[in-house]
Amino acid sequence: MNKIGRILIITFLSVAITVAEFSVQADVDRSQMGPDEVVDFVLRFSGSGDLPNIKLPALADFDLVGTSRMSRFNMINGAVTRGLELHHQLRPKRTGSLTIPGFKVEAEGKSYATQPITIQVSGTKSPSQVNPSKASSPLFLEASTLKPRYYLGEPIVYWLRINNQLQLFGEPTLKDPVFRNLSRLGQKPPLQRQEVKTLNGRQYQVNNIFIHLNPLSVGEAGVDPMSLIFSLSPFDPNREVRSNAVALSILPIPRNADFDQAIGQFKLSMTVSPQTLRANEAATIKVTISGQGNLKLAVAPHFSLPKDIEAYTPKAQLSETLTETGLNAEKTFEQTWIPRSAGDYSIPSGKWVYFDPTSERFITLMTGVIPLHVEKGPARTAMLMAANPVVQEAADIRYLHQEGDDWGRGMIKWGGLMAFLSLLAVGIRYRRFTASVRSWFGRLRPEARLFKRLETAMSTPNRFYGLLLKAVTTVLIDHYHFPAGELTTEGLRKKYPQADWVKDWQTLEAKSYQPELTPSMEEMTQSIQTMITFIQTVRKNK
């Protein structure tokens, strides 16, 4: 690599040792890099027993600039497997052939080790890194991210370091930079951390500022130089020092019909309560997904339930915490199941699919099989009457009806009919759009499954664009056999280079990764009309 900013072909090194039920694996995401780049060094551990306590080995050739941790718990066919991933973002201290030493760990009474990994570092430093001449200044700014490439929807941490040896007069002013194809993630002030650091033998007070960003669309992105305005005395004019610019590449997530709209590294846990109940009683299924990444658009795992179990729409609750290395998120889905018949049920394991940007592949998490023991219980009518005295009273009065009550019964019937027609008149404006959608699907097959998905999307405006994208993707792949590998903006442009309608797909794909967008009814109507036309156009040109 002789030129600054040259894109290297990333290779993947992996050294793994697996013995019995325990394994340890060491990975890096590249074998060649420049001195201004960051390599992701991953230690993976898995086994059926307790995992060991792990510490990073001493690194002579690299500086540690970031870490993240992810635990996994899987239960498949009764077999329990635990996993742990430790991600370390490393920046080389020099050029040449550098080595990440082998890692040793004791587990289950045995010793395991990985082999050393060698990485070739060549080229010259880009302006985004400290060089000796810049580090000799008494005040300078550095800006960087953990890596140069991110996937659409993946949170980005922009890291600004203010290195200072001066006694400033008053409070310096930091000007907001221009974010290109990026938006701020969250409304809170950025995280800050102060430290003392020695650079080229000189001691600096360092203020670390972490700004969290979200990519808007596939393509080039970046952050323009950030300026710091300061003064040394009341008589000193304002001075300005600027950081370097940061350039990024935003990649599309590969197409996968099972993708549940989450990107990062996550684990899954589940509780079912109660597992022994009576017919027509409720069981609560709570699935919690947690880890580091973007869960805003994530949907609940899908379960294949028997017809005797009635399921209600899951309720979702999301919590997020911004950290120096990314976004920690936890999303809980709570769903109610009501079995209508007695018996022993074995609900097949639900699955949940997310995209891991580090390994650049889709990961499937399984909930495990859910056993339910349902005993005979009261009928639904009896339960309703027992829970509602008014219903019970109405049932008792029914048998006291006399022949002379026909006029009263008729008035009640007509009164009920008029009330129903009044409610219908109020609600018809809200049903008009649904009726028009159904008429559209009279010309489109198979309309039933797609219409159900669109109804779900419209009922959850905060996830509308993600659910709409999934609905269109599913119908094109599953029912019209459109190649999944071509159903991306790049794939459509390559196949239909002169087609203007490819922009409709690109727009929807970009909006699906902007969780702050909550469309109105008119915007949802227009988006559905646009994508129906898109589906019809793709079918004609396929």
Side-chain angles (χ1 to χ4, degrees):
M1 185 179 64
N2 297 323
K3 294 182 179 180
I4 298 174
R6 179 180 177 186
I7 299 176
L8 297 177
I9 299 176
I10 298 177
T11 60
F12 193 79
L13 289 178
S14 176
V15 181
I17 297 146
T18 303
V19 180
E21 295 181 322
F22 181 82
S23 68
V24 54
Q25 183 179 4
D27 298 329
V28 293
D29 65 351
R30 66 192 69 194
S31 61
Q32 297 179 355
M33 62 186 298
D36 57 353
E37 296 177 331
V38 174
V39 63
D40 188 30
F41 173 54
V42 187
L43 293 171
R44 293 185 175 90
F45 305 87
S46 64
S48 58
D50 294 333
L51 297 177
N53 294 324
I54 298 151
K55 294 182 179 179
L56 184 69
L59 300 175
D61 295 334
F62 295 88
D63 286 323
L64 179 65
V65 297
T67 62
S68 62
R69 177 188 181 99
M70 182 181 68
S71 300
R72 287 195 180 95
F73 178 88
N74 291 329
M75 183 175 67
I76 302 177
N77 297 328
V80 177
T81 303
R82 295 179 176 86
L84 175 65
E85 288 189 8
L86 299 177
H87 292 259
H88 307 83
Q89 287 76 45
L90 307 178
R91 179 176 288 125
K93 295 180 179 179
R94 57 183 177 84
T95 58
S97 180
L98 308 187
T99 300
I100 299 176
F103 185 83
K104 295 183 179 180
V105 62
E106 298 289 334
E108 300 175 356
K110 297 182 180 180
S111 179
Y112 303 88
T114 62
Q115 297 298 320
I117 297 176
T118 300
I119 299 177
Q120 297 294 330
V121 181
S122 59
T124 58
K125 288 183 178 290
S126 72
S128 64
Q129 300 302 311
V130 180
N131 53 57
S133 60
K134 193 170 185 179
S136 63
S137 302
L139 175 61
F140 66 96
L141 275 59
E142 304 172 80
S144 65
T145 55
L146 294 180
K147 55 184 181 179
R149 304 188 314 154
Y150 288 85
Y151 282 89
L152 192 63
E154 182 182 2
I156 300 171
V157 178
Y158 171 79
W159 182 13
L160 178 70
R161 297 172 295 284
I162 304 175
N163 306 279
N164 181 33
Q165 289 182 314
L166 300 175
Q167 185 68 37
L168 304 182
F169 174 76
E171 290 292 331
T173 302
L174 195 61
K175 291 185 178 180
D176 288 336
V178 175
F179 299 114
R180 293 178 285 104
N181 197 22
L182 300 168
S183 64
R184 287 285 296 269
L185 189 62
Q187 301 299 322
K188 296 181 179 180
L191 299 178
Q192 297 191 42
R193 173 171 53 85
Q194 285 75 37
E195 63 180 340
V196 177
K197 191 173 183 180
T198 301
L199 300 172
N200 286 357
R202 303 178 65 178
Q203 193 174 73
Y204 287 84
Q205 294 288 334
V206 181
N207 185 18
N208 299 274
I209 300 176
F210 304 91
I211 300 177
H212 296 75
L213 305 172
N214 183 53
L216 297 179
S217 63
V218 173
E220 297 302 317
V223 182
D224 289 347
M226 184 176 281
S227 297
L228 180 72
I229 308 299
F230 67 97
S231 179
L232 299 179
S233 73
F235 310 102
D236 185 52
N238 286 338
R239 307 187 184 201
E240 180 179 0
V241 62
R242 305 180 71 194
S243 71
N244 54 280
V246 175
L248 300 172
S249 296
I250 309 302
L251 308 176
I253 296 178
R255 190 57 50 202
N256 186 329
D258 295 327
F259 181 40
D260 287 310
Q261 306 300 318
I263 178 170
Q265 295 88 34
F266 304 102
K267 63 179 181 179
L268 181 149
S269 63
M270 181 187 66
T271 60
V272 181
S273 179
Q275 290 185 271
T276 299
L277 66 163
R278 298 191 302 171
N280 295 311
E281 293 181 345
T284 300
I285 289 77
K286 183 180 292 186
V287 178
T288 300
I289 299 167
S290 59
Q292 189 173 63
N294 188 350
L295 284 175
K296 282 185 173 65
L297 300 177
V299 297
H302 174 72
F303 294 92
S304 297
L305 299 177
K307 62 180 181 179
D308 291 340
I309 296 182
E310 184 176 346
Y312 291 82
T313 302
K315 297 180 180 179
Q317 184 174 359
L318 174 67
S319 63
E320 296 177 323
T321 303
L322 301 177
T323 68
E324 294 182 4
T325 58
L327 175 66
N328 290 342
E330 179 177 283
K331 196 166 190 177
T332 300
F333 299 97
E334 187 172 309
Q335 188 176 29
T336 299
W337 294 353
I338 300 181
R340 299 304 184 187
S341 303
D344 288 314
Y345 298 89
S346 181
I347 310 302
S349 179
K351 71 174 183 178
W352 189 77
V353 180
Y354 70 92
F355 182 74
D356 183 349
T358 301
S359 61
E360 298 183 318
R361 60 191 180 97
F362 289 94
I363 306 294
T364 300
L365 301 181
M366 308 297 291
T367 63
V369 177
I370 303 174
L372 287 179
H373 176 68
V374 182
E375 301 174 349
K376 186 177 180 180
R380 297 179 65 179
T381 304
M383 290 185 64
L384 179 62
M385 293 171 62
N388 193 333
V390 176
V391 177
Q392 177 66 57
E393 182 180 356
D396 294 339
I397 293 174
R398 182 181 56 187
Y399 296 101
L400 299 178
H401 165 67
Q402 301 295 326
E403 293 296 330
D405 291 339
D406 289 342
W407 182 85
R409 293 175 60 192
M411 290 298 294
I412 293 174
K413 288 181 179 179
W414 282 107
L417 178 59
M418 294 300 294
F420 171 77
L421 292 177
S422 298
L423 292 174
L424 182 61
V426 173
I428 194 169
R429 60 174 296 188
Y430 299 103
R431 302 298 298 173
R432 188 173 300 161
F433 175 71
T434 302
S436 64
V437 172
R438 289 186 185 276
S439 67
W440 294 334
F441 290 121
R443 304 186 301 270
L444 186 65
R445 300 186 180 187
E447 67 277 6
R449 183 176 179 184
L450 181 58
F451 179 70
K452 184 176 180 181
R453 288 179 179 269
L454 293 180
E455 282 186 321
T456 302
M458 292 182 63
S459 65
T460 51
N462 61 324
R463 297 191 291 119
F464 171 77
Y465 291 114
L467 294 175
L468 176 59
L469 181 68
K470 189 171 184 178
V472 175
T473 300
T474 301
V475 74
L476 287 177
I477 294 176
D478 292 352
H479 300 293
Y480 302 128
H481 309 294
F482 195 91
E486 298 178 1
L487 199 52
T488 63
T489 300
E490 288 71 20
L492 292 172
R493 281 178 175 170
K494 184 176 181 180
K495 189 170 185 176
Y496 310 107
Q498 305 299 325
D500 292 337
W501 46 266
V502 176
K503 296 179 181 178
D504 297 332
W505 176 269
Q506 184 181 9
T507 301
L508 177 61
E509 192 174 48
K511 288 183 176 180
S512 69
Y513 288 102
Q514 298 183 52
E516 65 273 10
L517 293 180
T518 302
S520 64
M521 176 64 73
E522 290 76 16
E523 290 171 332
M524 288 192 288
T525 303
Q526 181 61 43
S527 296
I528 290 179
Q529 290 175 334
T530 300
M531 295 319 296
I532 288 174
T533 304
F534 174 82
I535 292 174
Q536 294 171 334
T537 305
V538 171
R539 290 178 60 199
K540 292 178 182 178
N541 292 276
K542 180 173 175 292

